[in-house]
Amino acid sequence: MSTLVSVAELGAHVGGEVTLRGWLYNKRSGKNVHFLEVRDGSGTAQIVVGAGDVPKETFAACDALTQETSLTVTGTVHAHPKRPGVVEVHGTGLTVVGRPTGEFPISPKDHGTDFLMDHRHLWLRSKRQHAILRVRHTIIKAVRDFFDGRGFTLVDAPIFTPNACEGTSTLFETDYHGDPAYLTQSGQLYMEAAAAAVGKAYCFGPTFRAEKSKTRRHLAEFWMVEPEVAYMDLAGDMELAEDMLVFIVERVLAERRPELAVLERDVTKLESVKKPFPRITYEEAIAVLARAGNPAKYGDDIGGDEETLISSAYDRPVMVHRYPREIKAFYMKGDPDDERAALCVDVLAPEGYGEIIGGGQREDDLEILTRKITEHRLPLEAFQWYFDLRRYGTFPHAGFGMGIERCVAWICKLPHVRETIPFPRMLNRLSP
Amino acid sequence: MSTLVSVAELGAHVGGEVTLRGWLYNKRSGKNVHFLEVRDGSGTAQIVVGAGDVPKETFAACDALTQETSLTVTGTVHAHPKRPGVVEVHGTGLTVVGRPTGEFPISPKDHGTDFLMDHRHLWLRSKRQHAILRVRHTIIKAVRDFFDGRGFTLVDAPIFTPNACEGTSTLFETDYHGDPAYLTQSGQLYMEAAAAAVGKAYCFGPTFRAEKSKTRRHLAEFWMVEPEVAYMDLAGDMELAEDMLVFIVERVLAERRPELAVLERDVTKLESVKKPFPRITYEEAIAVLARAGNPAKYGDDIGGDEETLISSAYDRPVMVHRYPREIKAFYMKGDPDDERAALCVDVLAPEGYGEIIGGGQREDDLEILTRKITEHRLPLEAFQWYFDLRRYGTFPHAGFGMGIERCVAWICKLPHVRETIPFPRMLNRLSP
């Protein structure tokens, strides 16, 4: 009797008879032998079908097999004659489960990105996409394990929010039983409430931006993790972000080297991601830019190009802290030692990837917060519940947000975030 | 020097001097002593402040402390004089961080649910809500660990979907850069594509229903886990659901007994959740209902009341399989042995909780699927990519979806799902 196994389990069955269920990924045929490459999601295996080893009609049937035929194969497991550590299956039986109705749309030849994205549901079957999916999965699990292991409580933030706190221009709106509702851009305000309840909180879910931008770093729908910690200051916040990134990279290196190899990722770049990360002030960052010939001056926002310039100067993530208050959000706490600066930090990924984390200490003084919201011409009414966090036992606290897709793009070294998420949603992309 | 610790860590510091940072949860005062109950998110600790142990002004300041004052306390850790295993802190210093601007809105007295929901951001600070949040967190982690440990790949389904495949009546719609987009109600169709790619896939994210229903089991926004497995049949699907639920309950019992005690949960009911779960056909379920005097007959949908009746008859989840095809979705595969029935299953939680899981084997025949979609008067065009999964190597596959909030409600034995999610969204509830 043969044992039902996955490709990933084959190595434990050398000498045994097994049955695999999967899809034909590739085929090479000689006069008396077919080499079938079969994938089942756990990996791909070579099935050697010799003319003398199977009934005549089975051997003949192999001629007609096309890419992505679903099938079950029975055979015995052998060590590969030339490649140590690799096994192959000598086929003794084969059953076609589903025969393609036509040629599989994605062939080994080059396709344009639009074509591949139109066929995203089929493109996911490729080795490269498997590798990215698995690295993404490992990063997400690492993030959760990191916070779970440090006593954080998961507090899911709502997706529907009642107010367009910072204007509607980049918000997706929906009709919520007669009232407008907006899709969340960040769970931060809710995490501040959660930190007051459970001390250390995080949320991890999809967030939405209706931006018209069409860059390699933007998605309309992306996943974000947002920790928030009571009684933590900016220095603690930076240490938390640093520890998290080191944890993630270590986990990926420990578990996903085969996938990084598929992606032809230079892992030495990841191996250098160790503590401590450089910490430079915004003012120092401006000086770095000046030395590189960039015209940015104090008070300017640092855009994608500038981030690329700065992050390229380091072999590991760099933390740029204390941006000018004017260019940062109303909830950032001012630096008591520098009236121009906010207690905030952006973490820029190396190799030119730029910002993957933004965070900082939150304004915890009710009066200052009220004044800033008024200055920003935001609707005070919408913030009453948020003010309650300052009214009833206000407390220093800090946190950050990390966009998962940018982190995946960096770790996999992908040129664009669109491949970092299974079904990307962008300006001109809403399907499949 | 005192050590900065959390309440949860106090037990390891008996005899030592510590500093805690948190909020005043409760206070009892005598002439020469204050008993402060301080919470910091990790737990609550009793701080004994004796008149002779602190400066006069500190002792006097304790008089003015009100609920939810944020503060830091320094003192030495002692075993509680009467309660074994419990520690308390003998205060030597106290600093007020943030004094409430008024009385904390939520006092120990009874408040109506609407009032508490309006103050959800503050209500989360209560012991009962902490307990629910932690059980929810543990359930979510258990679900992910379960699938991760079995070789599943996380494949996040998109939130924005381009088509109203089954009508717009319960869909939230948004303007997606000029085109209508709908918020997902299920990631299933995408998981079918993922199963063809990675064999075993799951997604876990928020899903949305714009239903007008106002019941104890409905939320507009709820989290759902949806596994999908290639080459799995209905029997395998039921076993997977059974294994997952046993895994979840075991994990909660192992880690969250203190929280279940806060909720006054009868844990013996959870301890009986063991394999095998009873499996009854829909037809048998109708017979159970008939014996209980319910008028349901073959072909009727089984509603909440009927589910409560059926599930009350068992001490563990019961699996009702093979519902009539007519009352189930188009993608359900027909039972080859019963032309009336579909290869589907609903898992009903015990103690009257009813359906928490729905799933089954999917129709994998392109022709039958096309015919059913036509019969259901659904737009064929919207399903072309879904048909591709049958065109290119179709394969038997099955999966299910579990609503996390219903699972939390059952395990915590809550009367309503609204407390199972940090910030619930219901028919009349969009804030805070």
Side-chain angles (χ1 to χ4, degrees):
Chain A
M1 268 302 292
S2 72
T3 313
L4 195 59
V5 298
S6 67
V7 169
E9 297 164 334
L10 278 180
H13 292 269
V14 174
E17 193 183 357
V18 299
T19 296
L20 290 172
R21 304 180 294 194
W23 293 264
L24 185 68
Y25 196 61
N26 218 332
K27 187 180 75 175
R28 287 181 300 121
S29 296
K31 192 171 177 328
N32 292 310
V33 66
H34 293 289
F35 296 98
L36 311 179
E37 197 184 344
V38 171
R39 63 169 193 85
D40 73 348
S42 78
T44 56
Q46 173 159 278
I47 319 294
V48 185
V49 183
D53 303 329
V54 292
K56 245 183 198 163
E57 51 277 23
T58 302
F59 188 79
C62 287
D63 275 326
L65 293 179
T66 60
Q67 192 186 351
E68 289 303 316
T69 300
S70 49
L71 38 76
T72 64
V73 180
T74 300
T76 50
V77 186
H78 293 256
H80 191 284
K82 290 177 191 163
R83 298 164 56 197
V86 175
V87 295
E88 60 182 23
V89 175
H90 293 187
T92 53
L94 184 150
T95 311
V96 170
V97 175
R99 203 176 291 281
T101 58
E103 199 182 338
F104 191 63
I106 303 174
S107 58
K109 73 166 187 223
D110 257 2
H111 298 282
T113 302
D114 269 351
F115 178 87
L116 291 170
M117 278 294 173
D118 285 341
H119 295 84
R120 184 67 175 165
H121 53 294
L122 302 177
W123 189 19
L124 291 178
R125 301 182 184 190
S126 78
K127 282 183 186 170
R128 176 181 163 85
Q129 299 306 317
H130 284 194
I132 298 171
L133 284 177
R134 295 223 160 87
V135 173
R136 175 187 169 93
H137 183 183
T138 297
I139 290 172
I140 290 172
K141 184 154 186 70
V143 165
R144 292 183 178 268
D145 287 349
F146 175 80
F147 290 112
D148 295 345
R150 289 183 170 222
F152 282 67
T153 301
L154 172 69
V155 181
D156 294 304
I159 306 297
F160 289 128
T161 59
N163 298 109
C165 291
E166 301 188 54
T168 58
S169 65
T170 62
L171 286 171
F172 288 106
E173 183 179 333
T174 191
D175 172 3
Y176 192 88
H177 300 300
D179 288 320
Y182 305 92
L183 301 190
T184 183
Q185 294 200 323
S186 159
Q188 182 201 313
L189 307 194
Y190 293 96
M191 287 310 99
E192 294 187 49
V198 299
K200 297 190 270 189
Y202 74 100
C203 63
F204 196 159
T207 52
F208 306 87
R209 303 253 165 144
E211 279 173 295
K212 296 266 181 225
S213 35
K214 221 176 147 180
T215 80
R216 63 184 178 86
R217 293 147 54 93
H218 286 88
L219 292 167
E221 175 184 320
F222 60 101
W223 287 67
M224 187 147 67
V225 59
E226 294 176 273
E228 190 77 27
V229 181
Y231 293 99
M232 186 169 74
D233 62 10
L234 177 62
D237 203 29
M238 291 201 269
E239 209 175 317
L240 186 69
E242 182 183 48
D243 285 344
M244 182 191 71
L245 287 173
V246 168
F247 187 91
I248 292 170
V249 171
E250 278 177 0
R251 178 74 70 88
V252 171
L253 285 172
E255 296 185 358
R256 294 297 169 203
R257 284 191 185 251
E259 285 77 9
L260 295 173
V262 168
L263 298 169
E264 298 176 343
R265 178 63 163 124
D266 177 359
V267 291
T268 64
K269 302 284 192 194
L270 296 175
E271 284 161 349
S272 64
V273 177
K274 295 200 182 304
K275 289 178 77 164
F277 295 171
R279 288 153 166 80
I280 64 171
T281 63
Y282 165 88
E283 202 162 12
E284 290 164 338
I286 292 291
V288 169
L289 289 172
R291 284 198 294 278
N294 185 287
K297 57 183 192 307
Y298 193 100
D300 289 352
D301 206 352
I302 295 184
D305 291 347
E306 286 76 21
E307 286 174 9
T308 299
L309 256 177
I310 299 166
S311 63
S312 299
Y314 300 92
D315 69 341
R316 62 196 75 187
V318 53
M319 311 221 217
V320 182
H321 56 92
R322 291 180 167 77
Y323 284 68
R325 297 179 189 193
E326 284 65 35
I327 61 172
K328 285 292 178 181
F330 68 88
Y331 49 71
M332 301 276 189
K333 191 174 173 70
D335 182 357
D337 297 328
D338 182 349
E339 60 175 19
R340 302 170 307 167
L343 294 174
C344 64
V345 62
D346 280 2
V347 183
L348 313 184
E351 301 176 75
Y353 274 89
E355 190 212 334
I356 53 171
I357 290 177
Q361 207 173 326
R362 320 306 187 182
E363 184 53 70
D364 48 25
D365 183 288
L366 179 59
E367 208 173 305
I368 297 173
L369 190 62
T370 309
R371 198 180 65 228
K372 288 172 81 174
I373 284 179
T374 310
E375 283 169 11
H376 279 75
R377 297 169 181 278
L378 299 172
L380 280 173
E381 184 50 35
F383 291 95
Q384 290 306 314
W385 73 267
Y386 185 64
F387 292 155
D388 277 354
L389 308 177
R390 280 73 184 168
R391 288 190 187 110
Y392 303 109
T394 193
F395 59 110
H397 57 291
F400 62 79
M402 178 172 79
I404 291 303
E405 286 73 19
R406 288 187 179 181
C407 181
V408 175
W410 158 50
I411 289 180
C412 292
K413 198 163 187 186
L414 305 177
H416 196 292
V417 288
R418 66 187 160 217
E419 280 181 70
T420 63
I421 188 165
F423 297 94
R425 297 297 183 241
M426 297 173 289
L427 189 52
N428 298 316
R429 168 68 53 198
L430 179 61
S431 65
Chain B
M1 269 302 291
S2 71
T3 312
L4 195 59
V5 297
S6 67
V7 169
E9 296 164 334
L10 278 179
H13 292 269
V14 174
E17 194 182 357
V18 298
T19 296
L20 290 173
R21 305 180 293 193
W23 293 264
L24 186 67
Y25 196 62
N26 217 333
K27 186 181 77 174
R28 286 179 302 121
S29 296
K31 193 171 178 328
N32 293 310
V33 65
H34 293 288
F35 297 98
L36 311 180
E37 197 183 343
V38 171
R39 64 168 192 87
D40 73 347
S42 77
T44 57
Q46 174 158 277
I47 320 293
V48 185
V49 183
D53 302 329
V54 292
K56 244 184 199 163
E57 49 278 23
T58 302
F59 188 79
C62 287
D63 275 327
L65 292 180
T66 59
Q67 190 186 350
E68 287 304 316
T69 299
S70 50
L71 40 75
T72 64
V73 181
T74 300
T76 51
V77 185
H78 293 256
H80 191 283
K82 289 177 188 161
R83 297 163 58 196
V86 176
V87 296
E88 59 181 23
V89 176
H90 293 185
T92 53
L94 183 149
T95 309
V96 169
V97 175
R99 204 177 289 285
T101 59
E103 198 182 338
F104 190 65
I106 302 174
S107 58
K109 74 167 186 219
D110 258 2
H111 297 281
T113 303
D114 269 352
F115 178 87
L116 290 169
M117 278 294 172
D118 284 342
H119 294 85
R120 184 68 175 166
H121 54 294
L122 302 177
W123 188 21
L124 291 178
R125 301 182 184 190
S126 77
K127 282 182 186 171
R128 175 181 164 85
Q129 299 305 318
H130 284 193
I132 297 170
L133 284 177
R134 295 223 161 86
V135 173
R136 176 187 169 92
H137 183 183
T138 297
I139 289 172
I140 290 172
K141 186 157 186 67
V143 165
R144 290 182 180 269
D145 287 349
F146 175 79
F147 290 112
D148 296 345
R150 288 182 171 223
F152 282 67
T153 301
L154 172 69
V155 181
D156 293 305
I159 306 297
F160 288 128
T161 57
N163 297 110
C165 292
E166 301 189 53
T168 59
S169 63
T170 62
L171 286 171
F172 288 106
E173 182 179 335
T174 192
D175 172 2
Y176 192 87
H177 301 300
D179 288 320
Y182 305 92
L183 302 190
T184 182
Q185 294 199 321
S186 159
Q188 182 201 314
L189 307 195
Y190 294 96
M191 287 311 98
E192 294 186 50
V198 299
K200 297 189 269 187
Y202 74 101
C203 63
F204 194 161
T207 52
F208 306 87
R209 303 251 166 146
E211 278 173 294
K212 295 269 182 222
S213 36
K214 220 176 148 180
T215 79
R216 65 183 176 85
R217 293 148 55 93
H218 286 90
L219 292 166
E221 175 185 318
F222 60 100
W223 287 66
M224 187 147 69
V225 59
E226 294 175 272
E228 190 77 26
V229 181
Y231 294 99
M232 186 170 75
D233 61 11
L234 177 61
D237 203 30
M238 291 201 268
E239 208 175 318
L240 186 69
E242 181 183 49
D243 285 345
M244 181 191 72
L245 287 173
V246 167
F247 187 90
I248 292 170
V249 170
E250 277 177 0
R251 177 75 70 88
V252 171
L253 286 171
E255 296 185 358
R256 294 296 170 203
R257 285 192 184 250
E259 286 77 9
L260 295 172
V262 167
L263 298 169
E264 299 177 341
R265 178 62 163 124
D266 178 357
V267 291
T268 63
K269 303 284 192 193
L270 296 175
E271 284 161 349
S272 64
V273 177
K274 294 200 184 305
K275 289 177 78 164
F277 294 172
R279 289 153 165 81
I280 63 173
T281 63
Y282 165 89
E283 201 162 12
E284 288 164 338
I286 292 290
V288 169
L289 289 172
R291 285 197 293 276
N294 186 287
K297 58 183 191 308
Y298 193 100
D300 289 353
D301 206 352
I302 295 184
D305 291 346
E306 285 75 21
E307 286 174 9
T308 299
L309 256 177
I310 299 166
S311 63
S312 299
Y314 300 92
D315 69 342
R316 63 196 74 189
V318 53
M319 312 220 216
V320 183
H321 57 92
R322 293 180 167 76
Y323 285 67
R325 298 180 187 190
E326 284 67 34
I327 60 172
K328 287 290 178 183
F330 68 87
Y331 48 73
M332 300 276 189
K333 190 174 173 69
D335 182 357
D337 297 328
D338 180 351
E339 61 175 18
R340 302 169 307 167
L343 293 174
C344 64
V345 61
D346 280 3
V347 184
L348 313 183
E351 301 177 75
Y353 274 88
E355 190 211 334
I356 54 172
I357 289 176
Q361 206 173 325
R362 320 306 186 183
E363 183 52 70
D364 47 26
D365 184 287
L366 179 60
E367 208 174 305
I368 297 174
L369 190 63
T370 309
R371 197 179 67 227
K372 288 172 81 174
I373 284 179
T374 310
E375 282 169 11
H376 279 76
R377 297 168 181 278
L378 299 173
L380 281 172
E381 184 48 37
F383 291 95
Q384 289 308 313
W385 73 266
Y386 185 63
F387 291 154
D388 277 354
L389 308 178
R390 280 74 184 167
R391 287 190 187 110
Y392 303 109
T394 194
F395 58 110
H397 57 291
F400 62 78
M402 178 173 79
I404 291 302
E405 286 73 19
R406 288 187 179 181
C407 181
V408 175
W410 158 51
I411 288 180
C412 291
K413 199 166 185 186
L414 305 177
H416 195 292
V417 287
R418 66 188 161 217
E419 281 181 71
T420 63
I421 188 165
F423 296 94
R425 297 298 184 241
M426 296 172 291
L427 188 52
N428 299 315
R429 167 69 53 197
L430 180 59
S431 66

